[in-house]
Amino acid sequence: MSFSGSTEDMIAVRNLIDAYGDAVIRRDLDAFGACWHEEAVWEYEAGTFAGKENILKQWKFIHDGSHGVRGVDTRFFSSTPGAINLSHATGAGLTYICIRSHDAESDEHISYYGVYHDEWVKASERWLFKCRRFKQLYSYCH
């Protein structure tokens, strides 16, 4: 994989990736929303959600009335960029993730591993997610 762009911009994109993970762990809707461009697209196994407003509605849906995503408590979220390629005010890359969760009802621990195919855009001097397409690579319960 490759990394290209100014060091300053690559650090800013890495900070965005880390802010996303932090928002997931803390279940912070405002912090999660601050990561997205108004015209963003979020795609994962539940579907494709276009526009920041729809992304935030989906975020609220999967968290309302439960302890976390799908009723499980996310205990750990780690992300590692596999590629960051930036040019002017746009970019694309890969972000590998690991999520560890606990389902209190079944007392199962769940591990998810996957990759986000990311697109970023720089708007008002901030890098934001323009598109995140998730592909699960592996999961298991223990």
Side-chain angles (χ1 to χ4, degrees):
M1 295 298 157
S2 63
F3 293 83
S4 64
S6 75
T7 301
E8 180 181 325
D9 284 337
M10 283 195 286
I11 289 170
V13 166
R14 178 59 204 234
N15 287 343
L16 172 65
I17 293 166
D18 291 342
Y20 179 97
D22 180 60
V24 168
I25 289 292
R26 293 186 299 112
R27 287 183 233 118
D28 184 329
L29 177 68
D30 293 333
F32 182 79
C35 295
W36 296 93
H37 186 270
E38 290 298 323
E39 298 171 7
V41 174
W42 183 32
E43 184 179 303
Y44 70 107
E45 59 267 5
T48 301
F49 305 91
K52 183 176 178 177
E53 183 178 328
N54 289 325
I55 290 168
L56 296 181
K57 282 181 189 175
Q58 177 64 10
W59 170 267
K60 288 174 72 171
F61 171 76
I62 61 178
H63 288 84
D64 283 351
S66 70
H67 294 92
V69 176
R70 290 193 215 113
V72 299
D73 182 19
T74 300
R75 305 269 175 97
F76 175 80
F77 186 104
S78 177
S79 50
T80 302
I84 298 175
N85 295 292
L86 307 172
S87 178
H88 306 289
T90 62
L94 301 173
T95 303
Y96 295 93
I97 67 161
C98 171
I99 303 170
R100 294 287 190 83
S101 301
H102 178 254
D103 184 334
E105 202 171 289
S106 67
D107 197 32
E108 287 186 319
H109 295 270
I110 307 159
S111 297
Y112 300 94
Y113 300 90
V115 60
Y116 269 113
H117 295 261
D118 288 329
E119 295 176 25
W120 306 287
V121 63
K122 193 173 189 179
S124 301
E125 299 305 310
R126 285 192 62 226
W127 285 94
L128 301 168
F129 289 111
K130 178 72 174 170
C131 184
R132 293 206 98 186
R133 288 188 167 88
F134 181 72
K135 178 175 173 36
Q136 185 172 306
L137 300 173
Y138 181 73
S139 68
Y140 66 94
C141 298
H142 45 98

